[in-house]
């Protein structure tokens, strides 16, 4: 039904205008993370759970006494830190993608409905958002995971339940603007139903904004997962996560500071990447900023 | 803000608070596992369990349970903590002052340095100082507060041990406090060694907590300042021969503060929410630290009390921000 759509269609072969240093950097980080996560079994020199108590607390390659088969050293149980960091990327990336997309889905549906139908639908949804924003997000996520029970699904549910409001508020505001546009009036004239207008006309116009928000949300999800692992509420301790590694590293910070620093660097690099991609896309996609 | 506006704003908070109460109640009732079983342990008889169930009203219909619970909560009665065997409200009140002191210290740091950075960036616009301010803001925002906390602990507590990284006060100092507002109390009583130790312990957690807000204030205020400097009244002031510093500080800053307060107001709540982890990391005895302990112990009455306390603080803070905004903006004040 593309020919019926009043929204401007994507022009082929013009994706180059999207590329800015920020976008390229962000995309590169994302691709790197994706490759590391996907190829973890081949990239990791060891099994991340393999214990070797004879070689615990080995220093990383730059320090004296390092073992070349453990490039970044080992932890208290002699597990290879590099392998654990590589496998940690899997959890981080899974949570980032699934949680951000689900939060976007929930928030967008509610935001579209509130913005388009206004009236009591809007009043109800906006009040719900107000109530949600009265809770400290970190505390709420910790409480939620404690209630649902630990595990990857609990972390994802907690992020979705807390962060849908980000999407809902922005999408609602944007829908309020879009519904007054001429193309919506034209669509009504040719007899399109209200749901069809929302889905085929307004949604595509909200999409650029949504892509930016999802990218930024992925960075937030990585941080929330790290926070929950750090507090000991994420996935089981058998699965290496960056937050869990930070928590382990903190215990031995006086003997082996790199155990805490390396996972922090992984988180900072990914968050910088997601933020750069999101901000860079916003710069290119937002008509106000583009001018 | 006119009294009627304030009243309206306060009335609007009631349905929000009610919604908060409903959500907390529902959350606590969907908990997998039996709170009574957790309280009494495996050795108790079925009669004891039934008695306790009746005592806590858990045998009544859900709606009635909610009514009883709400009536108690409104009076500040959240029951007895399961792990500490003390009144929840009392436990919270004992910890709240520490959290307030930490939050205020972080906000003070953010306001002071945020404004200083913004003015610096606006004065040396397009030159290296502005670049430095922008780089600082980008870096501070990319790293969340709890990672800043860990980095500070590592650098200033472990590698270069110059700062205290745990607790609120040097344990060797003897300070018999009457209130929990240690900083205020030590200042009023003239106990300056205690005050010094308190402030020294506050520095790292407050800076870690305040860095993101500092960056946001610096960014928003700087762009508002630059915008204000392009206005006619600034040109007039320059024609009158006022110096650049005077124009920025006396003319532009006042006008640039309004958008800054509006845009950064919501960040205050994020900052207060951030105390939960920062207090944990720095072993600071505040409400947030208590919250995580309560979650780990699955102490439901305590969790409920703390979550509602935070929600009330957030709602009150939002009203305060709205009022400040109305006071600062003459159009709203007379509107």
């Amino acid at each position: 039904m593309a020919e019926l759509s009043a929204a401007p269609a994507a022009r082929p072969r013009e994706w180059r205008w999207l590329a800015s240093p920020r976008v390229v950097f962000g995309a590169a980080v994302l691709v790197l993370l994706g490759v590391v996560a996907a190829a973890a079994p081949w990239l990791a020199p060891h099994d991340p759970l393999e214990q070797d108590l004879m070689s615990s607390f080995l220093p990383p390659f730059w320090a004296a006494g390092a073992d070349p088969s453990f490039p970044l050293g080992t932890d208290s149980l002699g597990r290879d830190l590099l392998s654990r960091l590589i496998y940690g990327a899997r959890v981080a990336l899974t949570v980032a993608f699934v949680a951000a997309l689900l939060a976007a889905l929930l928030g967008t549906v509610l935001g579209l409905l509130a913005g388009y139908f206004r009236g009591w639908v809007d009043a109800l949804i906006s009040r719900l958002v107000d109530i949600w924003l009265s809770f400290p997000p970190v505390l709420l996520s910790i409480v939620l995971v404690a209630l649902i029970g630990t595990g990857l699904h609990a972390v994802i549910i907690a992020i979705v339940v807390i962060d849908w409001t980000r999407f809902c508020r922005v999408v609602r505001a944007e829908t309020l603007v879009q519904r007054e546009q001429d193309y919506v009036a034209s669509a009504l004239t040719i007899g399109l139903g209200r749901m069809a207008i929302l889905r085929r006309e307004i949604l595509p116009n909200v999409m650029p904004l949504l892509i930016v928000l999802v990218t930024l949300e992925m960075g937030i999800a990585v941080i929330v997962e790290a926070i929950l692992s750090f507090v000991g509420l994420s996935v089981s301790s058998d699965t290496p996560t960056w937050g869990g590694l930070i928590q382990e590293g903190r215990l031995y910070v006086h003997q082996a500071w790199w155990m805490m620093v390396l996972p922090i660097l992984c988180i900072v690099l990914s968050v910088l990447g997601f933020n750069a991609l999101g901000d860079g896309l916003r710069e290119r996609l937002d008509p106000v900023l583009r001018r | 803000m006119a009294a009627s506006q304030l009243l309206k704003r306060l009335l609007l908070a009631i349905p929000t608070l009610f919604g908060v109460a409903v959500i907390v109640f529902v959350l606590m009732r969907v908990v997998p596992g039996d709170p009574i079983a957790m309280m009494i342990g495996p050795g108790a008889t079925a009669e004891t369990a039934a008695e306790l169930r009746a005592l806590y009203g858990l045998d009544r219909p859900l709606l009635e349970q909610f009514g009883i619970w709400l009536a108690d909560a409104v009076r500040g009665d959240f029951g007895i903590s399961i792990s500490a065997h003390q009144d929840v409200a009392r436990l919270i009140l004992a910890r709240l002052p520490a959290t307030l002191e930490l939050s205020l210290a972080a906000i003070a740091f953010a306001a002071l340095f945020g404004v200083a950075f913004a003015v610096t960036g606006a004065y040396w616009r397009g030159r290296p100082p502005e670049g430095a301010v922008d780089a600082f803001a980008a870096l501070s925002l990319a790293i969340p507060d709890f990672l800043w906390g860990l980095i500070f602990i590592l650098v200033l507590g472990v590698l270069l041990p110059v700062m205290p990284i745990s607790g609120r006060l040097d344990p060797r100092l003897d300070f018999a406090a009457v209130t929990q507002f240690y900083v205020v109390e030590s200042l009023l009583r003239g106990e300056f060694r205690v005050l010094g130790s308190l402030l020294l312990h506050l520095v790292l957690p407050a800076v870690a907590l305040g860095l993101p807000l500092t960056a946001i204030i610096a960014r928003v205020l700087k762009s508002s300042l630059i915008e204000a400097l392009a206005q006619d009244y600034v040109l007039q002031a320059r024609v009158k021969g006022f110096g650049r510093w005077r124009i920025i500080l006396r003319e532009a800053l006042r006008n640039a503060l309004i958008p800054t307060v509006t845009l950064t107001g919501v960040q205050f709540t994020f900052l207060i929410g951030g105390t939960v982890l920062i207090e944990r990391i720095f072993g600071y005895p505040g409400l947030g630290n208590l919250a995580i302990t309560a979650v780990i112990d699955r102490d439901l009455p305590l969790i409920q009390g703390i979550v509602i306390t935070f929600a009330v603080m957030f709602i009150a803070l939002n009203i305060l921000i709205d009022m400040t905004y109305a006071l600062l903006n003459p159009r709203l004040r007379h509107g």
Side-chain angles (χ1 to χ4, degrees), chain B residues 51-322:
Chain B
E51 269 172 38
L52 273 172
R53 204 169 288 281
L55 180 70
Y56 283 89
L58 291 172
D59 52 348
R60 307 210 198 137
L62 208 59
L63 211 61
E64 198 184 328
Q65 284 186 41
F66 178 67
I68 297 170
W69 178 83
L70 189 65
D72 285 344
V74 168
R75 280 181 275 128
D77 180 2
F78 295 105
I80 307 291
S81 153
I82 294 172
S83 55
H85 305 291
Q86 281 183 50
D87 185 42
V88 167
R90 198 176 270 251
L91 280 172
I92 291 175
L93 284 180
R95 292 295 194 96
L96 188 58
T99 298
L100 290 179
E101 281 188 350
L102 174 60
S103 309
L104 284 177
I107 290 174
F109 166 81
L112 200 67
F113 282 82
V115 171
F117 288 150
V119 170
T120 310
Y123 188 84
W124 281 287
R125 195 184 168 200
R127 279 186 281 165
E130 195 199 4
V133 169
D134 288 344
F136 158 81
L139 190 68
S140 309
L141 285 175
I143 302 180
D145 48 14
F146 87 106
L147 289 186
W148 277 121
L150 292 173
I151 293 169
F152 289 163
I153 287 181
L154 181 68
V155 176
L156 297 169
V158 175
L159 296 181
L160 200 77
V162 288
M163 295 292 284
I165 50 171
S166 180
R168 195 179 179 193
L169 182 65
D170 189 335
R172 283 165 300 183
L173 284 172
D174 190 30
F175 184 55
V178 185
T179 67
Q180 292 293 322
F181 288 98
Y182 283 7
V183 173
V184 182
E185 192 180 332
S186 63
L187 184 68
L188 290 178
R189 281 168 46 180
E191 302 232 23
F192 293 113
R193 279 191 54 207
V194 173
L195 181 65
S197 170
L198 283 169
L199 293 179
L200 206 60
H201 279 79
L202 266 180
V203 171
L204 291 186
V207 172
L209 196 56
L211 265 180
L213 181 61
T214 314
I216 291 170
I217 292 180
R219 251 189 197 176
V220 174
L221 184 60
K222 193 192 76 179
S223 62
S224 312
L225 272 177
I226 289 171
E227 210 171 283
L229 286 175
Q231 303 289 318
D232 289 342
Y233 64 83
V234 168
L235 191 67
Q236 260 176 23
R238 287 174 99 167
V239 169
K240 280 186 195 161
F242 291 142
R244 276 197 78 188
W245 276 117
R246 193 197 145 110
I247 292 174
I248 287 190
L249 294 177
R250 305 259 324 246
E251 313 285 336
L253 191 57
R254 199 184 323 162
N255 290 285
L257 273 178
I258 299 169
T260 310
V261 170
T262 340
L263 285 171
T264 54
V266 64
Q267 298 293 327
F268 281 31
T269 56
F270 291 151
L271 185 146
I272 291 183
T275 56
V276 175
L277 271 179
I278 290 290
E279 286 180 358
R280 190 70 181 176
I281 289 169
F282 285 95
Y284 185 87
L287 200 53
N289 206 341
L290 186 67
I292 294 187
T293 311
V295 168
I296 291 171
D297 292 343
R298 300 184 73 84
D299 189 338
L300 294 184
L302 191 53
I303 297 175
Q304 288 178 3
I306 295 174
V307 171
I308 289 185
T309 307
F310 269 107
V312 170
M313 276 202 289
F314 273 32
I315 293 169
L317 196 64
N318 277 324
I319 296 177
L320 214 64
I321 292 162
D322 284 357

Side-chain angles (χ1 to χ4, degrees), chain A residues 2 4-10 183 200-202 204-205:
Chain A
L4 252 183
S5 171
Y183 74 85
R200 283 199 230 137
E201 307 296 335
I202 294 183
N205 281 292

